[in-house]
Amino acid sequence: MLEVAAPYFAFWSLGAAFTLGLSVAVFPAAVLLGLASALAFHSGRAAAGAASIYFAIFRGLPEILVILAAFHGVNILLRTVGTGAGVALPTIDPFLAAWLALAVQFGAYAGVIMSDWLRIQPAGLSEAGAAVGMTRSQIRRRIVIPLVLRGATASLGNLFLVLLKVSALASLIGVEELSRRTAIVSGAIRDPLLAYSIAAVLYLMISALAEIGQNLLERRSHRRGGAGA
Amino acid sequence: MSLNRSFLTLTVALGTLAAPVAAQESILIGIDAAYRPFAYVEPSGALTGFEVELAEAVCAAIEARCEISNVPWDGIFTALDSGAIDMVGTTVTKTAARMEAYDTSVTIYNVGYGFIVPEGTDVSGGMEAIEGQAIGTIVGTEAYYAFIRGMLGEEADIRGYDTIDAAVLDLDAGRIGAVMSDNFQLQDQFVSTGDYVFVAEPVFDPQWTGDGRGWIFRQGSAELVARMDAGLEQVIGDGTMDEIAMRYFGMALSSE
């Protein structure tokens, strides 16, 4: 049975690497967006309003819609604009569209997580910073953000695992990650059950890798931060 | 490195970030390569199959530069609408609804309908061999049911199955006399094993099978359609298509 699928392992593993690569590329952008929106949420009125609208929209929309809109929507828009202006605009790359859609969407999830950590951060820590003469941006950089990131590590790790699986939706716009490649192999070997069973194992392996990474990060941040937090 | 290269191939294959000027000159063809033997990938990742080779042959015939990319079926018409591809190279049944919304090529081949029985059955009398017997097919396929009634009479005993494999299992068990489906499926999965034979030559009458299968283009692609049609007529006329079809289906195709 397996020997039918064996020649496709290299092709397949590349799909698995692509799934991991897409998530790894998306995650820092999502965390940055989340951090920025969380800080905005706790600042002045206009920025806080904008952040809560961002949270409401992108936590509410299904990922599949955002991905399809980012790819087909943008392409239709580019085509319409291009035809109107009489020039041929290039189309958006599916990988770029998936990256953009996932980063914006997971930025909203990360934003709410970090916004909660900001809310429970004792005001005394920032006051202590001010007392030793730090400026507002120094307090942010040296106290607020490091503590938020450390506190949110576990939740963000969960978010990363969700991202790994949701990134399968990128297959719908032609990104050849693990799910799309599994469909392709299944079509080539004419044995869907075998193909998807192997895909399940590959997903578990990727998740295991991600979990090992998360454990290492957590252990490091605890060692650095000493007991508390 | 190899991941990087695959990313690059994907990008270039989809003709997206590639230089827009060059992309203007090449024809972007989308094929869902997850359907052997029509279109599938080799272990190396290269696209192959009947549809891929046919598109390549036509592009060679008209000396056009074509970029064939692997587009999931679910999004293939949206990709066409949005300009990510210029042509659906998966051979698609030319239904009335599709022909109204899109430009279509000439009919590339017709799908035939046929009946199979276990090898050893006496089929010298043609359809007489299965008259009065129960016929298995896929449940809910109006065109198939109409065809069976047309061939065997209104009172034909039709048994619907979820998949053609289930119908063939019942044929093996002797609970039905024949299985009816399209000639590709019957030939590729059953007749080619040597355990089954067609009752008669598959029927290609448009009364039953519609307008056949062809390529789909955006509306307003008259110029491109004319070029591809000319190429198609050439590869159909000079036997190139038959040669490709023999290799993938074990039979020539009818485009009459």
Side-chain angles (χ1 to χ4, degrees):
Chain A
M1 261 225 141
L2 269 175
E3 64 268 14
V4 201
Y8 284 94
F9 277 155
F11 178 76
W12 227 335
S13 326
L14 218 59
F18 219 102
T19 285
L20 191 59
L22 176 59
S23 301
V24 166
V26 164
F27 203 61
V31 169
L32 276 180
L33 260 176
L35 193 59
S37 55
L39 289 171
F41 189 75
H42 288 280
S43 63
R45 267 201 190 156
S52 46
I53 290 171
Y54 169 58
F55 292 159
I57 290 179
F58 287 98
R59 287 204 317 154
L61 284 176
E63 283 82 3
I64 186 169
L65 269 188
V66 179
I67 288 176
L68 289 176
F71 183 61
H72 295 304
V74 168
N75 274 344
I76 290 169
L77 195 72
L78 285 173
R79 220 177 115 70
T80 315
V81 172
T83 315
V87 290
L89 295 173
T91 54
I92 188 172
D93 182 83
F95 183 88
L96 190 64
W99 178 83
L100 190 69
L102 290 171
V104 169
Q105 188 128 32
F106 278 79
Y109 296 130
V112 173
I113 291 172
M114 290 194 265
S115 161
D116 276 355
W117 279 99
L118 278 176
R119 195 163 45 79
I120 61 165
Q121 201 166 79
L125 293 174
S126 301
E127 286 164 8
V132 296
M134 288 189 197
T135 63
R136 282 192 59 172
S137 79
Q138 279 174 328
I139 292 172
R140 224 171 226 197
R141 264 200 336 268
R142 294 180 185 170
I143 300 172
V144 177
I145 294 176
L147 284 175
V148 165
L149 285 179
R150 200 175 74 183
T153 306
S155 311
L156 291 176
N158 276 342
L159 197 62
F160 184 76
L161 287 181
V162 176
L163 173 62
L164 270 178
K165 288 172 280 182
V166 168
S167 72
L169 292 171
S171 65
L172 289 172
I173 56 173
V175 176
E176 288 201 10
E177 45 63 77
L178 184 50
S179 288
R180 172 67 183 153
R181 291 224 154 164
T182 303
I184 291 171
V185 173
S186 154
I189 65 174
R190 296 285 283 267
D191 192 343
L193 191 63
L194 176 65
Y196 285 98
S197 305
I198 293 172
V201 173
L202 288 173
Y203 268 113
L204 285 175
M205 283 165 56
I206 297 175
S207 299
L209 266 182
E211 250 173 283
I212 290 170
Q214 183 183 352
N215 283 340
L216 285 177
L217 267 180
E218 274 180 39
R219 215 174 302 158
R220 223 184 83 184
S221 81
H222 278 263
R223 211 172 32 226
R224 254 208 217 156
Chain B
M1 175 63 193
S2 59
L3 173 67
N4 210 15
R5 211 165 73 209
S6 123
F7 183 8
L8 196 72
T9 316
L10 180 77
T11 307
V12 173
L14 285 161
T16 47
L17 290 184
V21 182
Q24 275 304 296
E25 290 160 5
S26 53
I27 302 165
L28 307 177
I29 301 175
I31 296 179
D32 183 21
Y35 191 25
R36 188 175 196 154
F38 287 87
Y40 58 102
V41 293
E42 287 172 346
S44 68
L47 300 186
T48 187
F50 169 76
E51 289 167 342
V52 175
E53 284 204 31
L54 179 67
E56 283 167 352
V58 168
C59 291
I62 61 170
E63 290 174 9
R65 232 186 79 199
C66 294
E67 287 172 23
I68 302 178
S69 57
N70 193 349
V71 180
W73 172 251
D74 294 344
I76 208 163
F77 285 97
T78 320
L80 181 65
D81 292 337
S82 68
I85 56 173
D86 299 322
M87 181 191 112
V88 175
T90 295
T91 48
V92 175
T93 305
K94 290 160 69 178
T95 60
R98 283 184 187 138
M99 289 171 82
E100 201 170 298
Y102 296 98
D103 288 355
T104 54
S105 72
V106 292
T107 295
I108 298 173
Y109 61 90
N110 283 306
V111 175
Y113 290 171
F115 297 88
I116 56 166
V117 290
E119 212 275 323
T121 310
D122 176 20
V123 292
S124 54
M127 298 299 288
E128 275 172 30
I130 56 170
E131 259 167 37
Q133 304 206 38
I135 308 295
T137 191
I138 299 172
V139 70
T141 44
E142 279 312 310
Y144 287 10
Y145 281 51
F147 172 73
I148 296 171
R149 293 199 183 97
M151 293 289 118
L152 296 170
E154 281 305 312
E155 66 292 344
D157 178 7
I158 304 175
R159 311 271 174 87
Y161 296 85
D162 282 343
T163 64
I164 213 68
D165 292 333
V168 171
L169 283 177
D170 251 10
L171 180 66
D172 292 342
R175 280 191 285 268
I176 53 176
V179 168
M180 181 265 148
S181 185
D182 74 71
N183 62 324
F184 288 105
Q185 191 163 38
L186 296 178
Q187 170 70 39
D188 185 54
Q189 292 175 28
F190 305 109
V191 175
S192 64
T193 63
D195 295 334
Y196 306 90
V197 291
F198 280 112
V199 174
E201 281 294 300
V203 173
F204 289 87
D205 187 343
Q207 179 194 352
W208 309 113
T209 59
D211 272 317
R213 292 185 183 161
W215 288 334
I216 307 280
F217 306 80
R218 266 187 307 279
Q219 272 185 345
S221 306
E223 195 190 327
L224 178 61
V225 176
R227 284 175 72 197
M228 298 308 274
D229 275 354
L232 272 172
E233 271 152 28
Q234 193 178 324
V235 302
I236 293 171
D238 69 12
T240 308
M241 185 170 92
D242 282 346
E243 184 269 319
I244 299 172
M246 282 306 291
R247 270 190 286 123
Y248 287 104
F249 302 120
M251 61 182 175
L253 300 175
S254 151
S255 49
E256 299 292 288

